[in-house]
Amino acid sequence: LVRQAGFRVERSSYWNVLMFFPIAAVRLVMHVLPSRAMSTHQLHNLPSCINVCIAWVLHLENYFIARGWRAPVGVSLLVLARKDTKSA
């Protein structure tokens, strides 16, 4: 899609590795259980200490990705692209 839009991909990586497996597990359970058994929304209030820990891990992940690390899995896809001047 990025190339079709006239951009050149410079780097790509998955992002939010830490939350991939818990989110995948919750989504699997939500898919298997009847919808009335579980809430369909995915936003929940977490204790602030957990939010601080998650934020710290995401900052650490950002640090490694900025230095060239490519995550094998993640919740989101991060793409750095530039307008391809050759196709213009």
Side-chain angles (χ1 to χ4, degrees):
L1 290 174
V2 175
R3 288 186 186 105
Q4 290 175 349
F7 288 87
R8 180 175 31 90
V9 175
E10 292 193 354
R11 291 182 45 204
S12 65
S13 176
Y14 286 101
W15 186 74
N16 203 348
V17 176
L18 172 75
M19 298 304 293
F20 176 78
F21 294 104
I23 288 173
V26 167
R27 288 182 180 170
L28 179 64
V29 169
M30 288 174 66
H31 180 71
V32 171
L33 292 179
S35 61
R36 69 177 193 275
M38 289 192 71
S39 172
T40 56
H41 72 80
Q42 298 178 9
L43 299 176
H44 301 281
N45 291 328
L46 297 174
S48 61
C49 62
I50 293 177
N51 282 333
V52 168
C53 291
I54 292 171
W56 184 84
V57 169
L58 291 176
H59 285 291
L60 187 61
E61 190 173 316
N62 290 343
Y63 173 84
F64 285 115
I65 288 175
R67 281 148 186 78
W69 179 64
R70 294 184 65 205
V73 296
V75 177
S76 301
L77 182 61
L78 176 71
V79 176
L80 173 64
R82 297 198 190 275
K83 190 70 174 168
D84 193 356
T85 56
K86 294 177 184 174
S87 65

